[in-house]
Amino acid sequence: MSDHVFDATTETFEAEVLQKSLQTPVLVDFWATWCGPCKTLGPILEKLAGEYNGAFRLAKVDVDKQQEIAAAFQIRSVPTVFLVKGGQIVDGFPGAVPEGQLRDFLKQHGIEPGLAANEEPVAEEAAPLDPHAEVLALRKAIETEPDKAELKLDLALALLKTGAAAEAETLLDALPANLATDDRTIRARSRLSFVAILKDAPPVEVLEAAIASDPDDLRARRLLGVQQLLGGKEEAGLEQFLEMLRRDRSYEDGLPKKLLIDAFRVVEDQDLVGRYRRKMSSLLF
């Protein structure tokens, strides 16, 4: 597979197809190993993906291995191809079609060879998706698949990044039982608990001044650490909680340790989590 062709799975579909389609159109090719026409269409699609040099990405979905995705798209026969742009399906067709017809299909949707090579530099591709754009994309995806609870969980997580805690909590409360113990749900609940701590909290500058005046002001350290954690300065937030543990591990019935453990559920950078777990352990044992 080239850089522009990949196998889509249930776990990667939202990130690699829906979210990536905000920047680059994605063709989704539903196929099966036993399907004769798929063996004709698939190589043509892969050839065009390489020739178009990133103007679109090709997501391959094996319907036998990825039955959940096939069901969500209501696939009745293979091959079937859908075009996803801006986080939603905009067009598609069933069956194998000639290369010329495929080129016409792409052209109708403004996809020309080599466009993405100029429009999408590596720096942009590596940049994280803006949380507000992610929320918009997920809302559109939910309009297409309103019964897909996983998308609502993803939306709750995205909303938390924008500060919309109330709507996020409503979505989390409505999740089915099988998602209530999902790692992402636990992370979202932990994040919500941190959001609640900041109600009526002083500004960061006030908290920093309080700590500079009294390094043992653990209340200020707690609030500053939460501000930093939720504001994207995760290591700085963890450092505040660790400093609380250094200064008084018994503060408010072991609150410093609890803050660190809750923060470990929120932080997605597992290398950072591992580093601070070791620091915490060295202080406790």
Side-chain angles (χ1 to χ4, degrees):
M1 295 218 177
S2 74
D3 292 340
H4 312 303
V5 183
F6 63 97
D7 287 319
T9 67
T10 302
E11 293 75 19
T12 64
F13 195 86
E14 190 270 331
E16 293 299 319
V17 177
L18 296 179
Q19 292 189 29
K20 289 291 180 67
S21 74
L22 295 173
Q23 288 89 30
T24 305
V26 180
L27 273 186
V28 185
D29 174 25
F30 290 91
W31 67 285
T33 55
W34 43 264
C35 165
C38 298
K39 296 174 183 177
T40 300
L41 180 66
I44 298 175
L45 289 171
E46 292 173 25
K47 171 194 169 188
L48 291 178
E51 181 182 322
Y52 277 57
N53 195 28
F56 73 91
R57 303 177 77 230
L58 177 63
K60 307 280 290 181
V61 179
D62 184 333
V63 295
D64 292 325
K65 293 181 180 179
Q66 307 299 330
Q67 295 181 18
E68 186 175 342
I69 302 176
F73 278 77
Q74 299 182 345
I75 300 302
R76 298 288 181 262
S77 64
V78 289
T80 294
V81 175
F82 284 105
L83 176 63
V84 180
K85 294 177 71 176
Q88 60 184 340
I89 301 168
V90 296
D91 204 352
F93 57 86
V97 300
E99 182 176 331
Q101 192 171 331
L102 283 172
R103 291 180 184 276
D104 289 342
F105 175 83
L106 293 170
K107 188 173 183 179
Q108 288 171 11
H109 294 282
I111 302 172
E112 300 283 355
L115 285 178
N118 297 325
E119 293 182 359
E120 192 177 4
V122 173
E124 285 188 10
E125 190 172 321
L129 187 65
D130 175 76
H132 295 280
E134 186 177 2
V135 166
L136 180 60
L138 287 166
R139 290 195 194 281
K140 289 181 179 179
I142 290 170
E143 288 177 6
T144 304
E145 301 178 83
D147 297 325
K148 191 168 184 180
E150 291 85 352
L151 289 176
K152 294 176 182 177
L153 172 54
D154 292 334
L155 176 58
L157 290 167
L159 285 166
L160 282 172
K161 294 177 185 176
T162 68
E167 184 181 355
E169 186 170 16
T170 300
L171 286 167
L172 292 172
D173 289 342
L175 289 175
N178 66 307
L179 287 178
T181 56
D182 187 281
D183 287 344
R184 292 171 300 162
T185 304
I186 293 171
R187 183 184 306 134
R189 292 286 187 192
S190 297
R191 194 175 186 91
L192 275 172
S193 69
F194 281 121
V195 171
I197 290 171
L198 291 181
K199 185 179 180 182
D200 300 324
V204 169
E205 297 77 11
V206 173
L207 295 170
E208 289 175 336
I211 294 169
S213 174
D214 179 9
D216 286 324
D217 187 342
L218 300 192
R219 177 183 176 277
R221 285 193 182 277
R222 177 196 187 199
L223 294 174
L224 179 60
V226 173
Q227 293 266 28
Q228 292 169 327
L229 183 72
L230 298 183
K233 298 178 180 178
E234 295 175 336
E235 185 166 4
L238 290 172
E239 191 60 41
Q240 290 296 340
F241 302 153
L242 191 71
E243 186 61 25
M244 291 175 67
L245 188 67
R246 286 193 190 100
R247 290 176 180 274
D248 185 358
R249 69 173 65 183
S250 63
Y251 174 71
E252 291 196 7
D253 296 324
L255 180 62
K257 179 182 175 183
K258 182 180 184 303
L259 285 169
L260 281 164
I261 292 173
D262 286 345
F264 294 155
R265 297 191 183 103
V266 172
V267 177
E268 296 184 33
D269 184 340
Q270 291 306 300
D271 290 337
L272 181 60
V273 168
R275 199 160 73 244
Y276 274 83
R277 279 191 187 279
R278 291 189 291 274
K279 290 183 177 183
M280 182 182 76
S281 296
S282 69
L283 291 175
L284 292 174
F285 305 109

